[in-house]
Amino acid sequence: MNSTPADTAVAHERWMAEALALAEQSMALSEPNPRVGCVIVSTNGQVIGRGHTQQAGGPHAEVMALRDAADHGHSVRGATVVVTLEPCAHHGRTPPCCDALVQAGVGRVVMAIEDPNPLVAGQGAARLRAAGIEVTSGVGAEAARELNIGFFSRMERGHPWVRLKVAASLDGRTALPNGVSQWITGEAARTDGHAWRRRASAVLTGVGTVRDDNPRLDVRLVPAPRQPLRVVVDSRLDAPLNARIFDAPGAVLVYAASPTAERRAAYTERGIDVVSVSNANGKVDLAAMLADLATRGVNELHVEAGHKLSGSFVRERLVDEYLVYLAPKLLGAGLDMASFGPLSDLADAVALRFHQIDRVGDDLRVLARPQAGQDRG
């Protein structure tokens, strides 16, 4: 294929930025599929097609972009396709996107990153090259991976990306000693927290929070095309059956350890799914729970729990990312962010690195991740 003046590294980066912006529109829509955006550029450097992945079972980004080009009367023969993830090469709910691109006669594919799905994993690019289509990879790879960090986690590690959300005072208190916590952070932070809920496949809490706070744990403060799965960790099924978390909208899944047959039957009658995964201590095996959630297509797990369950996630090194909102307040005595330890040596501390720090209203939003060597495999 003859290169046009627009087909340069700078142009590829500009088009990839637009494709990544389109991929953002798949947030809370494409689960469990990855969030993918695509633009199609004509041989004279004009964008003639745009698309992003739809709901599971719906068209992928490449097909949407091809349709967009056709709807506007544009030929894509010889065009450059810029896509944020390797075109798929397997028959799932939809036919392979690489075949659609070959049939359309495009001349070049610029992809951000290889698809980690073992059913694809380089096969899409290989089939495109075999058809004589030039393939370039690596443009915008870091941003594309971040956008689909949960999908990569599920495919490469067999468990979701676990994000632990905490709202606290500047001295690290999440509630007063009597349990009162509404509201430590401001309205802007609470709205932002719902946006993070929306991007998750599932939102998790513990039975203590269900009993004490009776949360709905759904997405209300921002528009949401779907509600994430709500998950409760409840070893003995002690949560009251009239708790608001068990009400519509959205599905609820409860992980238990060794509940009585009578209690399980009561949950089943209420239409609540219960999964038993116990550890040697008679508690819910959190690692086994994460593996099970991965089999259910959960990419990102958003944890909003009390200090005990949060501490268990921290102690077992199961947290991939800490989403912490810090209010400009000092509460003194109160409940901790996460109860674990005590540690006997500073070297045993959970060492983190700041990934991103932003101001949200009057509060700070801190994203922190475990330092290399402390993250789970």
Side-chain angles (χ1 to χ4, degrees), residues 94-146:
T94 60
C97 289
C98 63
D99 291 353
L101 295 176
V102 170
Q103 292 168 7
V106 305
R108 175 187 288 108
V109 172
V110 178
M111 67 184 202
I113 194 168
E114 184 178 289
D115 191 331
N117 187 337
L119 297 175
V120 185
Q123 297 179 54
R127 281 164 64 170
L128 291 170
R129 291 188 176 104
I133 298 173
E134 181 182 336
V135 178
T136 302
S137 180
V139 181
E142 183 177 353
R145 185 182 179 94
E146 280 290 326

Side-chain angles (χ1 to χ4, degrees), residues 284-297:
V284 171
D285 186 324
L286 297 180
M289 177 192 71
L290 294 179
D292 183 73
L293 286 170
T295 67
R296 299 171 187 270

Side-chain angles (χ1 to χ4, degrees), residues 264-307:
R264 179 186 285 273
Y267 270 62
T268 301
E269 185 176 347
R270 176 78 160 76
I272 302 168
D273 290 331
V274 177
V275 179
S276 294
V277 283
S278 67
N279 59 23
N281 298 319
K283 301 290 186 179
V284 171
D285 186 324
L286 297 180
M289 177 192 71
L290 294 179
D292 183 73
L293 286 170
T295 67
R296 299 171 187 270
V298 172
N299 294 325
E300 294 182 22
L301 178 64
H302 181 91
V303 178
E304 292 191 29
H307 61 104

Side-chain angles (χ1 to χ4, degrees), residues 185-201:
T185 54
E187 182 178 353
R190 295 195 295 274
T191 300
D192 191 68
H194 275 240
W196 285 91
R197 281 185 190 177
R198 176 182 60 187
R199 72 166 282 160
S201 306

Side-chain angles (χ1 to χ4, degrees), residues 153-200:
S153 176
R154 180 166 67 90
M155 290 296 160
E156 294 176 347
R157 306 186 301 175
H159 45 69
W161 178 264
V162 177
R163 182 178 295 113
L164 177 62
K165 181 260 183 180
V166 178
S169 62
L170 195 58
D171 52 351
R173 303 304 182 193
T174 59
L176 298 176
N178 61 6
V180 173
S181 62
Q182 295 181 332
W183 297 101
I184 292 176
T185 54
E187 182 178 353
R190 295 195 295 274
T191 300
D192 191 68
H194 275 240
W196 285 91
R197 281 185 190 177
R198 176 182 60 187
R199 72 166 282 160

Side-chain angles (χ1 to χ4, degrees), residues 18 51 83 93 149 151 160 190 194 244 256 266 279 307 335 354:
E18 183 171 352
V83 62
R93 296 184 179 95
I149 199 163
F151 181 74
R190 295 195 295 274
H194 275 240
R244 293 195 299 173
N279 59 23
H307 61 104
L335 301 183
F354 291 125

Side-chain angles (χ1 to χ4, degrees), residues 295-324:
T295 67
R296 299 171 187 270
V298 172
N299 294 325
E300 294 182 22
L301 178 64
H302 181 91
V303 178
E304 292 191 29
H307 61 104
K308 292 182 180 179
L309 181 55
S310 294
S312 295
F313 272 95
V314 175
R315 183 172 54 252
E316 296 183 31
R317 298 293 200 269
L318 297 176
V319 181
D320 294 303
E321 184 170 67
Y322 295 82
L323 171 64
V324 182

